[in-house]
Amino acid sequence: MPSTKIRKAVIPAAGLGTRFLPATKAIPKEMIPIVDVPMIQHIVEEAVRAGIEDVVLITARHKESIENHFDYNYELEDSLEKKQKNDLAEVSKKIGKMCNLISVRQKNPMGLGHAVLCAAPVIGNEPFAVLLGDDLIDSKVPCTRQLAEIYEKEGASVVGVMEVPQAETSKYGIVGGNMLNPKLMHVDRLVEKPSPDQAPSRWAIPGRYVLSPKIFDCLRETKPGKGGEIQLTDALQLLAQREKLLAYAFEGTRYDTGDRLGFIDATLAFALRRPELASGVRDIMKKHLNGVV
Ligand code: G1P
């Protein structure tokens, strides 16, 4: 077994973001903010809080603004400092210092599994985390840290799961297997977006994984599946036949920010916890609700 410390994370960010058109016509969907923090920064912050040092961003054409966001912006920072706005300059600089960002281009959009495989040369032979940008998970202990702890203790790959209504299984990768305790499953089956009658359970994967590097061989052997794409879920099924794979029901609230209502939900939740915004947001909500009901 290679080293068990989780130091690297892969964040796929190559998608076209068509569910958010027209906003995503000229800017990457990852740069759309929840309040004033781009979605991708929330994801990178989770990874960094979980102890990740190197973030491998899988990008595509027209995604340069993500790289710029995690770089310094000398002109902006210098001009803020000259105007004595040191706090704001620090906000900008802090993002530049957050982590080592390594960009890898996914030249063809061949699916999530293919995007993760693009990171293989940078990850090498060590376990790593995968965080999907459409899933924002709000928790005291970062979801990725919760999974990393299971990996470090059990020496096995682990996917984060949450229970979903039977009718919603077709939106997720779904796991099946034996329950080891009420929060942990030994997985022997995974199905990508099954119809409710085909789902092996109601445990769905909302975009958090800590994986052994053996997943790369599995991805290389995985043929296109659902939607003609190389699916990470299918490669995980192969991994489960070769090595122990666990599913862990993490603690935390998940927001589906890839969906417009989920995005609004996350925006309100994050705005309401900001002391300088909370009471203003409450007043705005009251005003709108009074107008509607
Ligand atoms: C992807 C994965 C799916 C997972 C989901 C979580 O699907 O393929 O297994 O459950 O992310 O958000 P997507 O939503 O990108 O189609």
Side-chain angles (χ1 to χ4, degrees):
M1 190 96 197
S3 129
T4 56
K5 178 129 187 2
I6 315 299
R7 299 184 307 115
K8 297 181 179 173
V10 176
I11 304 185
L16 292 173
T18 47
R19 283 198 285 172
F20 260 77
L21 276 169
T24 49
K25 187 177 173 195
I27 60 162
K29 71 170 171 182
E30 293 80 7
M31 290 303 292
I32 296 177
I34 302 291
V35 189
D36 47 12
V37 175
M39 288 196 223
I40 187 81
Q41 186 181 328
H42 286 285
I43 303 294
V44 171
E45 278 173 1
E46 178 190 324
V48 170
R49 281 174 56 223
I52 299 295
E53 295 158 18
D54 296 338
V55 170
V56 186
L57 191 73
I58 310 301
T59 65
R61 285 175 286 279
H62 314 305
K63 297 278 183 167
E64 295 80 6
S65 57
I66 303 180
E67 287 154 20
N68 294 340
H69 185 72
F70 291 98
D71 195 354
Y72 296 117
N73 182 337
Y74 177 77
E75 207 181 344
L76 171 72
E77 289 149 12
D78 183 60
S79 131
L80 288 168
E81 277 163 1
K82 283 190 178 128
K83 290 179 193 147
Q84 317 290 312
K85 293 185 174 169
N86 292 322
D87 291 1
L88 279 179
E90 205 38 50
V91 166
S92 175
K93 282 188 191 168
K94 220 172 128 194
I95 304 166
K97 288 183 207 149
M98 211 172 259
C99 61
N100 302 321
L101 192 79
I102 302 146
S103 289
V104 176
R105 283 284 266 258
Q106 182 187 22
K107 295 177 197 162
N108 288 315
M110 289 165 63
L112 175 62
H114 177 256
V116 172
L117 184 55
C118 290
V122 187
I123 299 293
N125 192 29
E126 59 179 287
F128 63 102
V130 177
L131 294 88
L132 303 189
D134 281 344
D135 301 280
L136 204 59
I137 297 175
D138 183 29
S139 55
K140 215 154 97 207
V141 177
C143 180
T144 298
R145 178 92 295 266
Q146 296 178 41
L147 301 184
E149 267 158 30
I150 303 269
Y151 190 103
E152 285 157 11
K153 193 163 143 240
E154 306 280 338
S157 298
V158 51
V159 297
V161 285
M162 60 179 192
E163 194 165 301
V164 296
Q166 192 83 32
E168 289 184 18
T169 57
S170 59
K171 294 204 265 176
Y172 302 95
I174 303 287
V175 296
N178 303 318
M179 297 304 292
L180 300 174
N181 68 46
K183 292 176 70 77
L184 198 63
M185 180 192 277
H186 186 165
V187 178
D188 58 23
R189 224 176 135 218
L190 295 103
V191 190
E192 177 67 3
K193 305 198 173 112
S195 57
D197 57 319
Q198 302 286 313
S201 78
R202 292 201 285 125
W203 272 21
I205 309 176
R208 293 296 184 276
Y209 314 74
V210 170
L211 302 174
S212 125
K214 286 273 184 305
I215 191 68
F216 293 126
D217 285 337
C218 300
L219 284 165
R220 285 184 196 103
E221 292 170 40
T222 299
K223 304 265 175 307
K226 198 119 201 165
E229 297 189 335
I230 298 176
Q231 297 292 348
L232 180 56
T233 307
D234 295 344
L236 285 167
Q237 170 73 60
L238 209 51
L239 186 72
Q241 288 159 14
R242 297 176 180 177
E243 286 189 352
K244 186 155 109 181
L245 175 66
L246 299 169
Y248 178 66
F250 60 88
E251 312 264 349
T253 306
R254 177 259 187 177
Y255 297 93
D256 178 7
T257 52
D259 170 77
R260 279 169 296 182
L261 278 177
F263 173 81
I264 293 166
D265 188 9
T267 302
L268 289 174
F270 280 69
L272 284 169
R273 81 173 57 146
R274 294 270 289 266
E276 76 282 19
L277 297 177
S279 83
V281 172
R282 271 204 190 84
D283 289 346
I284 292 169
M285 286 165 75
K286 274 189 217 139
K287 185 183 81 181
H288 287 292
L289 288 172
N290 288 339
V292 173
V293 285

